[in-house]
Amino acid sequence: MLIDKKLPAPMYKTEDMSKRSKRNHWFVREKGSNQPHDQSWYDWWKSRSLGLGKSGHIAWRSTCIAQNAPDPFNPPDSFDVDFQAPNGKLYHLEFKLAPHGPNK
């Protein structure tokens, strides 16, 4: 799925769904890369020098997740995203549900 614009908040239908989504932990990496398999969104974002703060990296992560895991109580183990970053570059990303934390 192509993600090229941020969703407005709230991204989920109910407040309970939003709260649960925030508790799910995801790892992200570029498909076909040698990046670590346990990299957070924040670490990936920094590694690509996409900026912080004004660039809204949290809203971009939340958009990717809300579009591909519409039921945060029963999320998929993984999903792929074509992410059009604010710098205009297209990244092919894989999100994986972390095997620890509130997910299990």
Side-chain angles (χ1 to χ4, degrees), residues 14 18 23-24 26 33 35 39 51 59 65 68 75 89 91 93 100-101:
T14 68
S18 294
R23 292 180 56 217
N24 291 336
W26 296 90
S33 76
Q35 293 176 331
Q39 183 172 231
I65 294 167
N68 289 280
K89 188 171 179 185
Y91 295 95
L93 304 177
H100 54 74

Side-chain angles (χ1 to χ4, degrees), residues 6-98:
K6 292 183 265 187
L7 289 176
M11 295 180 191
Y12 287 96
K13 296 176 190 173
T14 68
E15 189 172 327
D16 285 341
M17 291 176 82
S18 294
K19 285 180 184 177
R20 177 57 194 187
S21 178
K22 290 176 185 175
R23 292 180 56 217
N24 291 336
H25 297 279
W26 296 90
F27 294 142
V28 65
R29 68 188 299 266
E30 285 178 53
K31 292 186 70 161
S33 76
N34 60 356
Q35 293 176 331
H37 289 271
D38 61 351
Q39 183 172 231
S40 71
W41 174 264
Y42 178 77
D43 290 338
W44 175 81
W45 189 272
K46 279 193 332 185
S47 76
R48 294 298 170 241
S49 301
L50 295 174
L52 297 174
K54 293 179 187 174
S55 58
H57 71 96
I58 298 298
W60 281 113
R61 179 197 66 198
S62 298
T63 296
C64 290
I65 294 167
Q67 291 284 20
N68 289 280
D71 179 1
F73 292 100
N74 189 25
D77 289 334
S78 67
F79 58 85
D80 296 340
V81 170
D82 291 330
F83 173 60
Q84 182 82 43
N87 66 2
K89 188 171 179 185
L90 185 65
Y91 295 95
H92 306 289
L93 304 177
E94 176 186 53
F95 281 74
K96 281 196 172 190
L97 203 56

